[in-house]
Amino acid sequence: MVDRELPVLVAGGGPVGLTLALDLGLRGVPCLLVEPRVEPTREPRCTLTNMRSMEHFRRLGVAPAIRAAGVARDYRHDIVFATRVFGHEICRFAYPSPAEADARGASIAFDSPHGAERPQRISQIFLEPVLRRAVAGTADVAARFGWRVARVEARGESAEAVLVEEASGREEQLRARFVVDCSGGVSTLRAAAGVELVGRHAVSQQVGVFFRSRGLRAANPHGDALMWFVANPELRGTLVAVDGRELFTFHRVLPLDVDPAGLDAEAAVRAGLGPAGANVDVEVLAVHPWRAHLMVAARYRAGPLFFAGDAAHLLIPTGGFGMNTGIGDACDLAWKLAAVQQGWAGAGLLDTYEAERRPIAERNVAASARNAAGLMAAPVPPTLEAEGAEGEALRRLVGERILASQRKEFESAGVQLGYRYEGSPLVVADGTPEPEDDEILYVPTTRPGSRLPHLTLPDGAALFDRLGPGFTLLRVGAGAPAGDAFADAARKIGLPLEVVALPDLRERLERRLVLVRPDQHVAWRSDAVPNDPNVVLDRVRGAAAPMS
């Protein structure tokens, strides 16, 4: 017997599931989020919320809270390559702290003048509580922590789900119009639906040792850094500053055939710090073995069941693309589910979720693989830690190679902001050539399918803040055609559309009329109103076949 019915069930309450639930709730779509963990995670994963994700969180109203919970504002964002944390520095990507950057108008690591929001270093252990509080304060979202979605079975155009309370084993059944699986890379729901992950499994193995050290920051002779990439003939690893104060994680690389259970966690940390750090206090808080994969789900949908985040793709953490790709999934899917629930979607709208997001996952998986390959290709000669002129010369040569090859991992504006929904059924192409997809360089454009460029308007407001929650038609300059025909056509089909008049920014926005989707991507642009705006609106809501 079905206990209740609801529009959307979200399986999994990590950052992606929480973002999806929050986005749906703010769009007025009732949903239930189910998460087996009663408390937020204590595993310090996903340490970077990038510019694009922060733009989404700005739209969802949680960006200020995320900033307040993140790495300390006075903590420098340097990336250091060294033989050991207290050993020889090989090279450094130097970036100021957010406080320093604000004081002198500079940028920090992962920053770009083209982002409406600066990226934020924040561990998942601090991000999840912020998102949980936001979800708890959203009227149309209910959450059950300590429960899991055990089974989902399609029943026509909806699904029946079985929920199980972890503590008692008690079961409940409910019917949902849609279920979104955000339960992670080992999703049982995806496996039960017969959807495989395609790609490279277990390409590397590491053990993350989460620890507290009240003395490390002050004792480190090299100063603050977000990350120390450690390489010497004995080991490879990465030390990550979790809070910019006293919490750190050391990820020790292990061969795939080595059992991580045999690792002495404190000894691994101390080996990464080096003999010069022997007197630094180390309190091990948790140990997390993990394997890196490069995989994408063969399908993003199985009837009423959708896959998002790690349930849809697994990336190597290099570049920080994993969680952020999942945030993009959530924000693409949320407005489409809302459109169906509110009755203004076309029949093909939900099928475009896979068409748009799967290519982005493949792109980002490839970028993370290139970053990881570059790191592992950095040479570690037997004499890398040698003292004297010979050792210094060798480290200088290795450092020059790293500086030349790895910048794209730390300054990836092209990956973060430059992705576009090329060939999407919801995008009205205008015949302009596809720009090069560069990992570092982002070139702002309103070419359909691209993210709308961030602009600061003459009154000091951000353009993104002028967009409506649905579609927005931008009228650029006093000479822009009226938007009445679009507004009338949208009203008749129930499509939410706001018309916003802007100053003459045509040089930067490229056309007089720019139609922006609910997720801030450009759907259509022109200098003239089409003969029949319904043709455009039907396309962008998934109600029409692709236009030639």
Side-chain angles (χ1 to χ4, degrees):
M1 176 177 145
V2 174
D3 297 299
R4 58 181 298 197
E5 298 186 7
L6 70 156
V8 181
L9 171 65
V10 180
V16 174
L18 288 164
T19 300
L20 175 64
L22 181 59
D23 204 339
L24 288 169
L26 293 175
R27 295 184 187 280
V29 178
C31 64
L32 172 66
L33 180 141
V34 177
E35 165 55 47
R37 293 175 290 115
V38 174
E39 300 296 330
T41 183
R42 295 306 302 165
E43 184 175 351
R45 305 171 59 204
C46 311
T47 59
L48 171 69
T49 301
N50 72 17
M51 288 182 286
R52 186 65 184 123
S53 293
M54 287 301 294
E55 289 177 344
H56 286 305
F57 288 138
R58 177 190 185 112
R59 175 175 57 81
L60 298 175
V62 293
I66 290 173
R67 296 215 180 279
V71 168
R73 276 183 47 78
D74 66 342
Y75 197 83
R76 284 188 62 87
H77 282 208
D78 290 5
I79 308 294
V80 174
F81 288 76
T83 57
R84 300 177 195 264
V85 176
F86 284 72
H88 297 285
E89 183 173 315
I90 298 171
C91 65
R92 177 184 295 255
F93 293 86
Y95 306 103
S97 70
E100 291 173 320
D102 286 344
R104 65 180 202 246
S107 63
I108 59 174
F110 310 92
D111 203 355
S112 166
H114 302 300
E117 286 282 340
R118 174 170 281 168
Q120 179 62 49
R121 275 287 175 181
I122 180 170
S123 170
Q124 188 171 336
I125 65 175
F126 303 121
L127 177 61
E128 275 193 19
V130 172
L131 296 177
R132 283 192 178 203
R133 287 193 294 271
V135 162
T138 304
D140 282 311
V141 182
R144 285 197 186 183
F145 298 107
W147 290 71
R148 62 184 168 88
V149 180
R151 296 188 301 279
V152 172
E153 295 184 9
R155 291 287 188 267
E157 295 185 353
S158 62
E160 287 186 6
V162 176
L163 312 186
V164 176
E165 187 177 31
E166 292 287 275
S168 67
R170 179 165 61 96
E171 292 189 358
E172 287 188 15
Q173 285 186 301
L174 59 79
R175 182 183 294 274
R177 189 173 184 184
F178 303 109
V179 179
V180 185
D181 178 9
C182 305
S183 62
V186 293
S187 165
T188 58
L189 301 182
R190 187 193 61 236
V195 176
E196 297 181 348
L197 289 172
V198 179
R200 297 167 57 196
H201 176 77
V203 296
S204 64
Q205 176 177 241
Q206 299 190 34
V207 175
V209 182
F210 182 35
F211 68 99
R212 175 181 285 110
S213 176
R214 293 180 172 85
L216 194 159
R217 183 182 184 188
N220 190 339
H222 302 302
D224 289 344
L226 283 174
M227 292 183 180
W228 290 262
F229 288 92
V230 172
N232 58 64
E234 177 188 348
L235 62 87
R236 287 180 185 260
T238 307
L239 181 71
V240 180
V242 174
D243 67 348
R245 297 178 181 87
E246 60 181 30
L247 297 177
F248 301 87
T249 300
F250 183 67
H251 295 277
R252 169 73 184 267
V253 178
L254 293 178
L256 286 168
D257 59 356
V258 171
D259 183 357
L263 184 74
D264 183 324
E266 182 176 341
V269 171
R270 294 200 176 279
L273 297 180
N279 294 327
V280 170
D281 61 299
V282 172
E283 177 192 357
V284 175
L285 302 176
V287 180
H288 305 286
W290 58 277
R291 291 189 169 195
H293 313 280
L294 295 166
M295 310 185 83
V296 179
R299 290 182 288 136
Y300 272 35
R301 180 183 185 182
L305 176 62
F306 296 81
F307 310 105
D310 285 356
H313 41 72
L314 294 171
L315 292 73
I316 297 177
T318 48
F321 306 142
M323 180 198 74
N324 293 292
T325 304
I327 298 299
D329 296 340
C331 294
D332 182 273
L333 186 56
W335 76 265
K336 295 173 180 176
L337 292 173
V340 172
Q341 183 65 19
Q342 293 161 1
W344 55 268
L349 183 63
L350 291 179
D351 289 334
T352 68
Y353 170 61
E354 177 178 323
E356 292 190 341
R357 293 305 302 173
R358 193 172 188 278
I360 304 305
E362 292 178 324
R363 165 190 185 261
N364 293 356
V365 164
S368 75
R370 288 191 292 271
N371 288 337
L375 287 175
M376 296 307 294
V380 184
T383 56
L384 189 63
E385 294 185 278
E387 302 294 339
E390 180 182 352
E392 291 177 4
L394 181 59
R395 288 188 290 273
R396 184 167 56 251
L397 288 173
V398 173
E400 289 172 354
R401 176 172 174 176
I402 292 171
L403 289 171
S405 65
Q406 291 305 117
R407 187 169 299 277
K408 66 182 182 300
E409 180 176 351
F410 313 118
E411 299 178 15
S412 56
V415 175
Q416 297 179 42
L417 304 179
Y419 70 90
R420 52 190 178 268
Y421 298 134
E422 198 69 34
S424 167
L426 304 183
V427 170
V428 184
D430 64 357
T432 52
E434 181 180 358
E436 181 181 357
D437 189 9
D438 188 286
E439 292 181 34
I440 296 177
L441 181 64
Y442 164 70
V443 179
T445 179
T446 58
R447 184 175 181 271
S450 302
R451 159 192 168 274
L452 179 72
H454 157 64
L455 297 177
T456 300
L457 301 177
D459 63 1
L463 174 57
F464 279 14
D465 295 341
R466 299 286 298 277
L467 303 178
F471 281 82
T472 304
L473 180 67
L474 301 178
R475 298 180 58 245
V476 184
D484 296 351
F486 265 108
D488 291 342
R491 191 178 304 111
K492 290 176 181 177
I493 58 176
L495 183 145
L497 174 72
E498 294 187 17
V499 179
V500 174
L502 297 177
D504 196 352
L505 299 169
R506 190 183 186 283
E507 183 176 346
R508 301 185 67 182
L509 295 178
E510 302 174 312
R511 298 293 187 275
R512 291 296 184 193
L513 296 173
V514 180
L515 182 63
V516 185
R517 306 183 340 173
D519 60 355
Q520 302 168 338
H521 280 256
V522 175
W524 168 89
R525 66 178 183 176
S526 179
D527 284 325
V529 177
N531 293 331
D532 185 358
N534 285 291
V535 174
V536 172
L537 295 181
D538 281 350
R539 175 68 182 277
V540 303
R541 66 187 180 98
M547 298 168 60
S548 58

